[in-house]
Amino acid sequence: MMKNNDMLSQEEIDLLLKGSEDESSLSSDENITDLEKDTLGEIGNISMGSAATTLSTLLNRKVTITTPKIEITTTSELSAEYTIPFVAVDVKYKEGLEGSNVLVIKEDDVKIITDMMMGNDINVERELTELDLSAISEVMNQMMGSAATSLSEMFSKRIDIEPPRSYNITMAEGEEKLEALQTDKPIIKVSFRMIVDDLIDSNIMQLIPIDFGQQLVENLIGDYADTDTVEEPELIDMDDFNVHSSEVKETISVESSPKMEQERIAEEQVVVKKPKFEVFGESQPKSKQKESIDLVGDIPVELTVELGRAVKKISEILEYGPGTVVELDKLVGEPLNIYANGKFIARGEVVVIDDNFGVRITDIDNNERNKF
């Protein structure tokens, strides 16, 4: 029996308060299980591996993305941890999945990627521009598009994204602009280490709302909680069993009769025959029907004469202005290619008809003509 003067000491009160604080700090981790963490890690490993291959093709450099690290956090914790501006790429899903996530990339990494795409000398000391944001949006469009393709294969259904949008913001500003961060629930932080040759070696983050993360898990492994539920066996009333036991025995003896079993199997047998096809030999006369060309004579065909071609880098094209001369791959006097609805059919030479240019056909491509 507790005495009236048995009151908690200040030390005991402090211990109780400390215990409640520890429980609140663990409450976020209780929103996601170890199985969900492992599944999200595997999804991120496969999808970002595919995205790394796409980035390697775009930059023509070796790109390595390491195994992801999964953590549970909140928007307030992220705002306190990341105070400097960064580039946030908002990726929204429009088919197959409902939700969005945010990719967080350092400003210097974005500048390096843009300079490599433009063929410029790498300069991380310059200011981040709209061109950088446009370039990283296009890069992420192709990377996350490739990741969506990997998800489609994993989930066995079509998954597609909207064109990503990039922002140069702080984490606090992101809480106002980015849908994925506008939540009071925990946020799943997936961290990757991205290495691009000897130019980039840093971390990128993928921030996923916990509801969207659990949606990814359910799409891959289903509602695993239901599979762990085992139904209890239904109890049998023994009195009821004794009353109907003779009927049960009689039913079993009838069903197990060999003669009836053979008749049942005979009824279920399916007759399988080989198909018979009519044989057509090479000696059989071919049917030739001559139709008038008038049937297709009124179909319009667009003729195109190609003066020449040139391959230039984006950085060179951006320097173009009025008066810029572009050198083509055709020599003076060399025959020009003529196309019908985009199909090469002939070659010719330039002529002048009154005040208009024309082309005189000098050679017909008989190889293509004989196909018709």
Side-chain angles (χ1 to χ4, degrees):
M1 183 173 179
M2 183 175 179
K3 297 180 181 180
N4 293 334
N5 60 352
D6 287 342
M7 300 183 64
L8 294 175
S9 65
Q10 184 61 43
E11 182 180 0
E12 292 172 334
I13 294 174
D14 292 339
L15 287 173
L16 288 174
L17 291 175
K18 184 177 184 301
S20 63
E21 291 175 356
D22 292 340
E23 290 177 0
S24 62
S25 64
L26 293 174
S27 60
S28 62
D29 276 336
E30 292 174 356
N31 287 279
I32 185 170
T33 65
D34 290 338
L35 176 60
E36 289 174 321
K37 280 187 177 182
D38 294 340
T39 305
L40 286 172
E42 187 60 27
I43 292 173
N45 198 25
I46 295 174
S47 59
M48 292 307 292
S50 177
T53 303
T54 301
L55 181 60
S56 177
T57 302
L58 290 173
L59 302 181
N60 196 24
R61 303 267 184 168
K62 181 181 178 181
V63 178
T64 303
I65 294 183
T66 61
T67 304
K69 179 182 179 183
I70 311 295
E71 298 179 43
I72 304 299
T73 183
T74 61
T75 53
S76 58
E77 291 176 356
L78 290 171
S79 298
E81 184 176 358
Y82 301 98
T83 56
I84 62 174
F86 55 86
V87 175
V89 184
D90 190 18
V91 181
K92 295 182 179 179
Y93 289 83
K94 65 179 182 180
E95 185 175 353
L97 295 172
E98 295 181 3
S100 62
N101 61 96
V102 177
L103 287 164
V104 177
I105 310 172
K106 294 180 181 178
E107 288 185 350
D108 288 350
D109 295 342
V110 173
K111 295 174 186 177
I112 294 173
I113 291 174
T114 303
D115 286 340
M116 283 192 289
M117 290 184 63
M118 301 295 295
N120 298 334
D121 294 334
I122 296 175
N123 179 17
V124 295
E125 301 300 328
R126 61 181 177 82
E127 294 292 329
L128 194 74
T129 64
E130 288 295 328
L131 179 61
D132 293 309
L133 296 179
S134 298
I136 199 63
S137 294
E138 180 56 30
V139 168
M140 286 299 163
N141 187 31
Q142 298 196 37
M143 288 180 63
M144 297 309 296
S146 178
T149 302
S150 297
L151 291 178
S152 299
E153 295 175 355
M154 281 191 287
F155 299 161
S156 299
K157 66 177 180 179
R158 178 177 173 80
I159 296 176
D160 200 2
I161 62 171
E162 295 182 1
R165 300 184 63 182
S166 299
Y167 303 89
N168 185 24
I169 54 178
T170 62
M171 191 64 71
E173 294 171 337
E175 294 183 41
E176 301 177 0
K177 291 186 178 181
L178 304 176
E179 179 183 345
L181 301 182
Q182 295 173 352
T183 177
D184 296 330
K185 295 182 179 181
I187 298 289
I188 302 172
K189 182 175 75 172
V190 187
S191 302
F192 303 88
R193 182 185 174 193
M194 182 175 69
I195 304 172
V196 182
D197 279 352
D198 56 348
L199 301 173
I200 298 177
D201 187 353
S202 63
N203 291 326
I204 60 174
M205 287 192 306
Q206 186 179 17
L207 303 179
I208 306 174
I210 194 164
D211 293 339
F212 184 56
Q214 291 173 335
Q215 182 187 159
L216 292 172
V217 174
E218 289 178 2
N219 272 273
L220 183 61
I221 63 176
D223 192 357
Y224 57 86
D226 292 342
T227 60
D228 294 338
T229 304
V230 179
E231 296 183 0
E232 295 183 358
E234 184 178 356
L235 297 177
I236 300 175
D237 190 341
M238 293 305 297
D239 293 334
D240 190 37
F241 176 78
N242 292 330
V243 171
H244 300 287
S245 60
S246 60
E247 296 180 6
V248 173
K249 291 179 181 177
E250 191 174 315
T251 303
I252 294 174
S253 63
V254 171
E255 289 184 353
S256 60
S257 171
K259 181 178 180 181
M260 295 187 66
E261 184 69 16
Q262 292 176 0
E263 292 177 355
R264 182 183 64 82
I265 294 175
E267 290 177 357
E268 293 180 354
Q269 287 181 346
V270 179
V271 178
V272 179
K273 297 182 179 179
K274 292 185 178 181
K276 295 182 179 180
F277 300 101
E278 186 177 354
V279 178
F280 295 93
E282 294 182 357
S283 60
Q284 188 168 352
K286 297 181 179 179
S287 174
K288 293 186 178 179
Q289 295 181 353
K290 295 183 178 179
E291 299 291 346
S292 175
I293 192 65
D294 293 338
L295 290 174
V296 293
D298 292 333
I299 297 177
V301 176
E302 180 179 347
L303 292 180
T304 304
V305 180
E306 182 180 82
L307 183 61
R309 299 187 181 187
V311 178
K312 300 294 181 182
K313 294 181 179 179
I314 295 178
S315 57
E316 295 175 324
I317 295 176
L318 292 176
E319 296 176 356
Y320 285 177
T324 300
V325 177
V326 179
E327 182 180 357
L328 304 178
D329 58 355
K330 289 285 186 182
L331 300 176
V332 177
E334 188 176 353
L336 308 180
N337 293 338
I338 303 173
Y339 299 87
N341 281 354
K343 188 71 175 178
F344 173 72
I345 60 169
R347 294 184 177 85
E349 59 184 8
V350 177
V351 296
V352 177
I353 305 173
D354 294 333
D355 294 332
N356 297 325
F357 280 111
V359 59
R360 179 187 292 116
I361 296 176
T362 59
D363 182 28
I364 298 290
D365 186 10
N366 291 321
N367 292 330
E368 292 297 328
R369 189 173 183 179
N370 292 333
K371 292 180 181 180
F372 297 97

